[in-house]
Every structure is written in C-alpha cells, then in structure tokens.
Amino acid sequence: MRWLVTGAGGMLGTDLVAVLRARGEDVRGLDRAGLDVTDPAAVDRAVDGADVVVGCAAYTAVDAAQDDEARAFAVNAVGAQHVARAAARHGARLVHVSTDYVFDGVVPAGGGTPYAEDAPLAPRSAYGRSKAAGEWAVRTEHPGALVVRTAWLYGAHGPCFPRTIARLARERGALDVVDDQVGQPTWTADLADLVVRLVGAGAPGGVYHGTSAGRASWWELAREVVGAAGLDPDLVRPTTSAAVARPAPRPAWSVLGHDALRRAGVEPLGDWRERWRTAAPHVLAGPGAHASSSDSR
C-alpha cells in the first residue's frame, strides 16, 4: 500500500514513517513545511495516489491555544476536514489522531472508570475544543475513518515530559511534579505500531483509544524517568495542580478504555510501566538510539 503521513516531522509522525519503512511499506512523510493542511488544494494534491492517509498534523501548543484559538481551530478542525475530504474523494483509508483533551478530564465519581470510546465529548480548553471539532469534521467527511485518541505521548524525536524531567533532575536536583493528574504514558513508537496494526486488521471505521494500559500520575512517571536516568527517584516531590498555574486547564483524569480495539481483534498496548522500561534507553538517549519496529510493541 501507499501511505501518506501528514505532520511527519513530529514525534509520532517520525516514528510512524520509521515503522512503515522498516516493514518495507511505500510511505511518503510530509512535515509542516512540506504540507500546509489549511490549504485544501495542496492537501488534495498530496493525498492523490495514497491508499492510506494518517493525519498526524496538529496544533498541539495547549497553553498558546488559549490565546490563539482561531489558529488551533484552523489546523485541528478545518485542516483535519481538508484531509478527510481529500481522502474520501480519492478513496483512501484515513487514520486521524486525536486526544484525551476532548473529554472533561473530571475524575469519575467513585474513581477508576476509564473513558469509553463513545463517552460524551466535553472539552474544557481551546485545544480540546479544536480537536473535538476535528473529530466531528473527520467523521462527517469520511465515515470510514479511524479516529485514534491518544494521550501523554513521549518519544525520542522531540521535546517530551520524560526528556525534560531527566534534564531538570540533573540540572536542579529536587523537582516538584503534580500527583493529582492521572493518565496513561504512551510511547510514540508503540502508537505508530498500533496504527499500522489497526489498518492491517481492516478495523471498521470509528473511534479507538491508543494509549498504554494501566494508569499513573505525572509524579509516578517522573519517578520512573529519574530512576531510568540513573538518579534517585526521591528527588521527585509530589505537588498539586493548584500549585502549578497554567493558562489552559489540564485534565485530572486521562484514562482511556480500549474495548473498541478488542472488538476489532487488535491487541491494545501493554502496561505503561513495562513499555517505559523498554522505551527509556531510546527516549532518554534521543534520536540516535531510536528503537526499531521489532521492539516497539
């Protein structure tokens, strides 16, 4: 098959192109300079001839979007619509990458219940609103699209929480990290592999959740990161979201369920702690030590 990956310069797009090439697939990766998804004519030309299109292009500056919602909407909603419309017009399979920010992020009463794929959308930030609008546009333009929501991504090919935490721990010593936000740390190499497996399985159009199993707070993840960097995990101290003011609200609960994957016969990703221990040498070392597709499940 001929694959097109938009947003191929980002963490996920870079890993996806690498996974596809390692499997001998015919793949064309276009970064932001190579394709402006807000230009419908350019999108149509890029999609022409592709069998599968994976939309990784996105405006992901969560705080900046609070003051520039129009720009976030132009990329995440209108740009996503352009890609979906072109994929439908040319008969290409479409995978659209979305986010946990489409939910309200409120810890469920009684605790512990992951968001189902069909849970109501209730975004609380400009970024979340733009991504929710993008999901709606994609499913309207291309009903057979696979919408894959993910969260707490980290990887070797860009700035991410683990690499930042490891650097700050070396520079500063003790760190304060929030322990009242809970989610599923997810390696971009694992998500790239999942996307390929979803397409290969001929999964029906709909919403899927592409996150690791289990759950952790940012504080718990930071302790794992600092330990993997050869430092004392006790350097990481717990704090609260209220003590760390941010322009955009962060979800307190970003735990997503994986029932749709199982119904499609696709194995969900493994436990976040196990996957981090596999990923850590590659992620903390940077691009030069990136994992191959053989160890990305």
Side-chain angles (χ1 to χ4, degrees):
M1 293 188 293
R2 293 165 294 181
W3 293 68
L4 171 69
V5 178
T6 72
M11 277 196 308
L12 175 58
T14 300
D15 278 345
L16 180 56
V17 169
V19 166
L20 288 167
R21 286 179 176 160
R23 296 182 180 207
E25 296 285 356
D26 179 356
V27 56
R28 183 186 184 200
L30 294 175
D31 61 12
R32 182 166 50 185
L35 178 63
D36 177 2
V37 294
T38 67
D39 181 342
V43 170
D44 192 77
R45 289 192 298 270
V47 169
D48 188 11
D51 299 306
V52 184
V53 178
V54 184
C56 297
Y59 183 111
T60 58
V62 174
D63 287 329
Q66 290 296 104
D67 295 322
D68 194 7
E69 188 163 356
R71 177 60 183 165
F73 193 89
V75 176
N76 293 341
V78 180
Q81 181 183 39
H82 293 159
V83 174
R85 181 174 293 170
R89 178 171 178 263
H90 293 289
R93 195 80 205 269
L94 174 63
V95 181
H96 173 72
V97 180
S98 191
T99 174
D100 61 305
Y101 274 74
V102 300
F103 297 123
D104 60 14
V106 176
V107 179
T113 305
Y115 283 105
E117 292 83 356
D118 61 354
L121 305 191
R124 297 176 56 234
S125 65
Y127 168 68
R129 288 189 292 271
S130 71
K131 292 296 287 184
E135 286 192 14
W136 178 84
V138 165
R139 299 187 72 185
T140 299
E141 296 285 351
H142 198 315
L146 307 175
V147 175
V148 179
R149 296 188 189 120
T150 191
W152 289 36
L153 287 182
Y154 63 83
H157 298 279
C160 61
F161 180 85
R163 295 175 70 182
T164 299
I165 286 295
R167 175 178 58 80
L168 292 177
R170 292 189 184 98
E171 293 174 356
R172 300 181 186 175
L175 297 171
D176 295 320
V177 178
V178 298
D179 68 348
D180 56 359
Q181 296 173 23
V182 176
Q184 296 159 310
T186 302
W187 188 17
T188 49
D190 279 346
L191 181 56
D193 180 76
L194 177 64
V195 166
V196 176
R197 290 190 287 121
L198 263 173
V199 173
V207 178
Y208 299 86
H209 288 163
T211 53
S212 294
R215 62 194 65 172
S217 69
W218 288 116
W219 174 72
E220 289 174 298
L221 174 58
R223 284 178 57 85
E224 290 288 329
V225 169
V226 169
L231 303 171
D232 183 357
D234 289 338
L235 290 172
V236 184
R237 303 174 301 208
T239 189
T240 65
S241 299
V244 185
R246 303 291 291 273
R250 263 50 179 184
W253 184 253
S254 293
V255 179
L256 308 184
H258 306 118
D259 288 347
L261 287 174
R262 296 185 180 95
R263 288 194 296 269
V266 175
E267 184 69 22
L269 302 181
D271 181 78
W272 75 268
R273 188 174 272 106
E274 173 199 341
R275 299 311 303 145
W276 163 249
R277 289 171 182 167
T278 299
H282 312 288
V283 173
L284 297 181
H290 176 56
S292 70
S293 60
S294 62
D295 63 359
S296 64
R297 286 201 177 95

